[in-house]
Amino acid sequence: MGLLTDPRAGSGKIIKFVLKWERPLCLLLYISGIIWILLLALPAFNDNTYFSENALLPGLVTKESNLEHTSKQYYVQLLHEMKRYPDVMPYAWLAAKLNQLHLDVFIHNFTLAYPFQEQQFTGQNIYGIIRAPRAASTEAIVVSVPFRPISSIYLDTAASIALLLAFAKFCRKQKYWAKDIIFLITEHEQLGMQAWLDAYHEVTSGNEGVLISGDLPGRAGAIQAAINLELHSMKISYIDVKVEGLNGRLPNLDLFNLAQNMIAMEGIQQSFQRRFDVKYKNKFKNWWYHFNTLLMMITTQATGIPTGNHGLFHRFGIEAITLEGFEKPGQQNSDGNFYQVGCVVESIIRSLNNLLERFHQSYFFYLLPSTDTYISIGLYIRSLVLIIAAVFVKVFSMWQKLQASNSTEDKGSPIIKQSKDDGFDIGVITSEILRAHICGVMIAISPSTLTYFGRKMHFRTEDSIYFGFMAITALTLMWPYYSKRQMKYNNAALICVIALVEVGTVLMCIAMHNFSLALLIAVIYVPIILPITPKQNSTKFHKMLSLLWILLHPFMIANLIVMGYTYINFSSDSLLSVLFRGYRATKQAFVFSIMDSMIYGNWLYNVTVSTMLPIWILFWNILCSNIIVHS
C-alpha cells in the first residue's frame, strides 16, 4: 500500500519504467496469459494421474458379481411397466422389487412451488438401504439413477435402474460391507436429487419456499461418496465419466481416477467429455485435440450447471461422479455388456467401502485434457494471474498519474495539466458507484416483478423476462446520452481506478470457486477494459471501443453466446432457422439461469447481474461522459 500512498513513490526507477511502458506491459501480460492457457494442453504441462489414497485398494478385490442375467430380467419387466404408465414413475413396481430384496424401503415426497406463477409440482423418490453388517451405520455410499419416462426428451435410463436392482440383489447377500449402501431412484432429474439431499441433511439450498423437500422417513450414515448411473442401453460400447458439479465444483481426483481405472480394467472404452484418448504422431494435431478436450471442460464448468445428478452432492462435502454409458450406432454386438459394467460398479463400490476416512488427499482443483492426465491448480492458475496482473498494472499507472500535481508528457499519451486545487468530488464518485451497484441488485431481483406485469399482459414467463431484460438493456445504453453527463477528469479517472480494482478483485474471488468462469470473463473483458480511459474528445478508436463495449453488455453477450452455440449445433439449417432457434434458446436460458439460482443456489445469474453489470455500467458512463479538464 505504500506505493499507492507515498507521494515520493513515483520517483523510483521501477515506477518510472511501469509508467512509461504501461500499455506494452499490460498487453504483454494479457498475451502471456493467453499463451499459458494454450500451453496447458502440451504433455510437458500435464501429469499422469495416480492414486493418492492407497486405502482405496483399487482393482485388488476379487470381483464376484455377474449381473447381466438378472439385469436383463429386471430390464424387460421395467419396460413393460413403463409402457403401462408412460408418463410417471412406476412407484409400486419399484417399491415391490426393493422390498423383495429385503431392503429398508422408503418413499420421499417433495414439492416445487413455481416462483413465477401460482403452480405446484409434486414428485417422489424411492430409495432402499442395506445396513452395514460390520459397522454401526455411521457412514454410507449412494448409488443413484434418475428415472426418465418414455415421454422424456432425455436419453433413456431404464437399463441403469435394472443394473441398480441387480446390484442391490448382489449386495444384499454379502457380509463384508462396512458402510450402508443407499440405492436411490429419483424423479424429475436434478429436482428430485436436490430435494432428497436437502431432506437428508435438513437444509434448504435455494430460496425458501421454492423447493419444499419435506422429511425423509429413513436415513443411513453420513454419506461419503456417490455414484450416479446413466446407462442408455443394455449393450454399452463406452462409458463417459462426468465430474463437473454445481458452481464448478469438482470431486476429488482420486474418485475420477478410480472410475477410469476400473472401466479400463474391464475392457470397456472410456471417455471424458465424450472424447476418447487419441495419440497423434503429429505434435500439433495431438496438442489441438487435447486442447479442445480441455476447452470443453472449461466451458462446461464455467456455466456452473451440473453435468449430472452427481454435481449436487459436492456442496455437502460428498465426492460424486456420473457414469454415463452409450451404445455406438452399428455396434449391436459390442463386447461391452452388463457383465463388464456390473463389475465396474462393484469394483468402485468395494473400493469406496475400503475407505477409512473421507477423501482428503489428491486434488480438488484440476483440469483434465484426457482421461489419464491432469493439470494441477499450481499450473493453470498462472494464466489468470497474468491477465489480472495487467489490470492492476493499469490501476497502478492511473493512480500514480492522479497523484502527481502536474502530469508529465509521455510518449503516445496526451498532456493533461491539472491544478493542485482540482481534487476529487467524493460525493459524486460515491454516488456514481452506489448507483451502478444498486441498479445491479435491483435487476437481480427484478424477474418476479417482470413476470407479475407480464401475466397482466398475458405474456409467458420466458417472454416477460426476456423483453424485460431487453428494455433494461436499452435504458442502460441510452441513459448516459439522455442525461448528457459531464464529469471532471479527476472524478472520472478515480471511478475508472475503482472499477479496475473491482474487476481484478471479483476475478480473483470467482477463481477461488470456479476458475473456468473467472478465466472466460477475464479473456473476454480485460482486453476491452484496458484501453478505457477518460477522454475529452471522441476519436475513431474511442467510438470503436464504445461499440465493442456495447457487445459486452451481459444481456448482449448472453445472446451472442447462445446464438453461437445454436449455430454450431444446427449449422446445416438455414440462417433464419438458426436465428429463430437461438432466439427461443436464449429466452429459455434466461429462465433456467434464474430458476437454477432459486432452486439449487447456482450463482452464475447473481454474479453476472450484481457484479459484472455494475462494472459494465461504470465503464459505460466513463465512455459516454463529457470529460471536463481544468487547466
Side-chain angles (χ1 to χ4, degrees):
M1 289 300 293
L3 289 174
L4 297 179
T5 55
D6 187 356
R8 297 170 298 173
S11 60
K13 291 183 178 179
I14 296 177
I15 307 304
K16 289 181 178 179
F17 175 82
V18 171
L19 294 176
K20 182 178 180 181
W21 301 100
E22 170 216 329
R23 291 183 181 178
L25 187 57
C26 289
L27 182 62
L28 178 63
L29 286 169
Y30 177 80
I31 294 174
S32 299
I34 299 297
I35 292 173
W36 194 273
I37 297 168
L38 299 175
L39 293 176
L40 290 176
L42 290 175
F45 285 76
N46 303 164
D47 290 319
N48 292 324
T49 55
Y50 61 93
F51 287 100
S52 298
E53 181 53 82
N54 293 322
L56 286 168
L57 300 175
L60 297 185
V61 298
T62 301
K63 293 178 283 293
E64 303 171 358
S65 65
N66 187 347
L67 309 181
E68 185 167 18
H69 179 68
T70 310
S71 297
K72 285 181 179 178
Q73 289 181 329
Y74 282 128
Y75 183 69
V76 172
Q77 296 173 23
L78 177 58
L79 285 182
H80 177 71
E81 289 295 317
M82 290 174 66
K83 288 175 182 177
R84 290 179 60 192
Y85 308 100
D87 298 321
V88 296
M89 181 191 292
Y91 308 104
W93 185 88
L94 291 169
K97 292 302 176 184
L98 291 171
N99 275 308
Q100 288 172 10
L101 300 177
H102 305 290
L103 275 63
D104 295 341
V105 182
F106 307 97
I107 294 179
H108 168 233
N109 299 295
F110 63 91
T111 304
L112 173 68
Y114 191 63
F116 301 130
Q117 294 178 2
E118 294 181 358
Q119 289 181 301
Q120 286 194 342
F121 304 90
T122 59
Q124 287 184 324
N125 300 319
I126 296 176
Y127 63 104
I129 303 173
I130 293 178
R131 305 291 178 180
R134 301 184 63 181
S137 292
T138 56
E139 297 178 340
I141 303 169
V142 173
V143 181
S144 69
V145 175
F147 175 81
R148 292 170 184 168
I150 293 174
S151 58
S152 174
I153 61 173
Y154 301 105
L155 293 175
D156 178 39
T157 57
S160 306
I161 297 175
L163 180 65
L164 179 142
L165 294 171
F167 185 59
K169 184 177 182 179
F170 164 78
C171 293
R172 187 70 184 83
K173 301 175 183 178
Q174 312 307 316
K175 301 299 181 184
Y176 46 68
W177 300 116
K179 295 175 173 62
D180 295 344
I181 303 179
I182 303 172
F183 297 92
L184 172 63
I185 304 170
T186 60
E187 191 177 18
H188 300 317
E189 299 297 327
Q190 294 178 10
L191 278 176
M193 181 59 75
Q194 185 63 64
W196 189 86
L197 285 169
D198 281 356
Y200 197 92
H201 296 92
E202 298 181 340
V203 299
T204 301
S205 299
N207 292 4
E208 290 284 347
V210 178
L211 183 60
I212 304 167
S213 59
D215 297 319
L216 284 187
R219 282 183 173 79
I223 301 172
Q224 304 296 302
I227 304 297
N228 184 57
L229 302 176
E230 293 184 14
L231 309 172
H232 307 307
S233 171
M234 291 296 290
K235 287 287 186 179
I236 299 301
S237 298
Y238 70 96
I239 295 178
D240 191 69
V241 182
K242 295 181 175 181
V243 295
E244 296 87 357
L246 183 69
N247 293 326
R249 294 190 182 187
L250 301 171
N252 189 278
L253 187 57
D254 272 344
L255 183 57
F256 174 80
N257 296 340
L258 173 65
Q260 293 289 5
N261 275 265
M262 296 303 101
I263 294 168
M265 192 173 292
E266 294 303 324
I268 303 175
Q269 196 169 15
Q270 71 237 56
S271 70
F272 175 66
Q273 298 291 338
R274 298 188 66 176
R275 293 168 65 85
F276 308 108
D277 288 345
V278 179
K279 305 294 182 183
Y280 293 101
K281 292 182 180 179
N282 184 295
K283 290 184 178 179
F284 176 80
K285 202 172 182 180
N286 194 58
W287 165 82
W288 179 247
Y289 183 83
H290 289 95
F291 177 73
N292 275 276
T293 305
L294 179 65
L295 191 61
M296 289 179 70
M297 180 181 180
I298 289 173
T299 52
T300 302
Q301 187 185 18
T303 64
I305 301 171
T307 51
N309 283 0
H310 72 279
L312 301 173
F313 284 87
H314 300 157
R315 63 149 40 106
F316 299 99
I318 302 167
E319 310 310 317
I321 56 172
T322 287
L323 304 180
E324 186 170 15
F326 296 91
E327 178 183 24
K328 286 185 178 178
Q331 293 195 6
Q332 301 296 326
N333 298 320
S334 172
D335 293 335
N337 54 45
F338 261 38
Y339 170 73
Q340 282 90 354
V341 176
C343 289
V344 169
V345 176
E346 181 197 357
S347 300
I348 294 173
I349 299 302
R350 291 187 67 177
S351 295
L352 295 173
N353 187 59
N354 295 334
L355 277 179
L356 302 175
E357 53 193 344
R358 286 185 178 274
F359 283 98
H360 64 282
Q361 301 189 72
S362 195
Y363 292 91
F364 290 91
F365 299 94
Y366 52 86
L367 294 176
L368 298 169
S370 67
T371 63
D372 57 358
T373 59
Y374 74 99
I375 305 164
S376 70
I377 186 172
L379 279 175
Y380 68 68
I381 197 68
R382 299 176 193 180
S383 58
L384 185 60
V385 169
L386 286 168
I387 296 173
I388 294 175
V391 175
F392 282 107
V393 167
K394 171 79 173 179
V395 170
F396 179 74
S397 175
M398 288 192 71
W399 178 253
Q400 286 297 322
K401 290 174 182 177
L402 280 174
Q403 288 295 298
S405 58
N406 291 299
S407 63
T408 56
E409 183 175 359
D410 292 326
K411 293 182 180 179
S413 63
I415 303 174
I416 300 173
K417 295 184 179 181
Q418 299 170 205
S419 169
K420 290 184 179 181
D421 298 328
D422 189 20
F424 304 116
D425 295 329
I426 301 301
V428 173
I429 295 168
T430 304
S431 64
E432 188 79 15
I433 294 168
L434 281 176
R435 189 161 49 241
H437 286 81
I438 290 172
C439 180
V441 173
M442 290 180 66
I443 295 171
I445 62 176
S446 66
S448 297
T449 305
L450 295 175
T451 52
Y452 172 78
F453 287 108
R455 285 198 302 271
K456 299 290 185 182
M457 296 182 284
H458 306 289
F459 281 5
R460 292 182 300 175
T461 299
E462 58 187 39
D463 291 327
S464 301
I465 292 175
Y466 183 81
F467 292 123
F469 282 174
M470 185 183 291
I472 291 169
T473 302
L475 286 174
T476 56
L477 290 172
M478 293 188 300
W479 171 251
Y481 292 107
Y482 177 76
S483 59
K484 298 179 180 179
R485 299 171 56 83
Q486 290 187 340
M487 198 180 300
K488 288 166 55 179
Y489 175 84
N490 269 15
N491 294 337
L494 186 56
I495 290 170
C496 193
V497 166
I498 294 170
L500 286 166
V501 170
E502 186 175 3
V503 168
T505 306
V506 165
L507 289 175
M508 288 190 292
C509 292
I510 294 174
M512 295 299 101
H513 298 276
N514 190 340
F515 166 80
S516 297
L517 177 59
L519 181 66
L520 291 183
I521 293 173
V523 169
I524 294 170
Y525 277 88
V526 168
I528 312 301
I529 285 174
L530 290 177
I532 296 178
T533 52
K535 296 289 184 181
Q536 186 177 13
N537 298 316
S538 181
T539 61
K540 288 184 179 179
F541 177 76
H542 188 264
K543 291 177 180 177
M544 184 181 69
L545 203 61
S546 299
L547 179 61
L548 289 173
W549 195 242
I550 290 173
L551 295 177
L552 292 186
H553 188 288
F555 178 84
M556 300 290 290
I557 201 168
N559 277 272
L560 292 173
I561 289 172
V562 176
M563 284 290 181
Y565 183 80
T566 305
Y567 176 76
I568 291 170
N569 286 276
F570 300 96
S571 56
S572 59
D573 292 3
S574 64
L575 179 60
L576 190 62
S577 175
V578 169
L579 291 174
F580 182 68
R581 283 180 182 271
Y583 163 71
R584 289 198 307 173
T586 304
K587 291 196 298 184
Q588 293 172 355
F590 284 141
V591 176
F592 291 153
S593 180
I594 296 165
M595 290 294 294
D596 282 353
S597 170
M598 292 180 168
I599 297 172
Y600 307 108
N602 186 334
W603 41 258
L604 176 64
Y605 169 75
N606 293 325
V607 165
T608 302
V609 178
S610 60
T611 59
M612 294 310 300
L613 182 58
I615 291 170
W616 185 94
I617 291 172
L618 289 175
F619 282 113
W620 180 243
N621 288 342
I622 292 169
L623 284 168
C624 298
S625 296
N626 180 23
I627 304 301
I628 303 171
V629 179
H630 295 278
S631 57

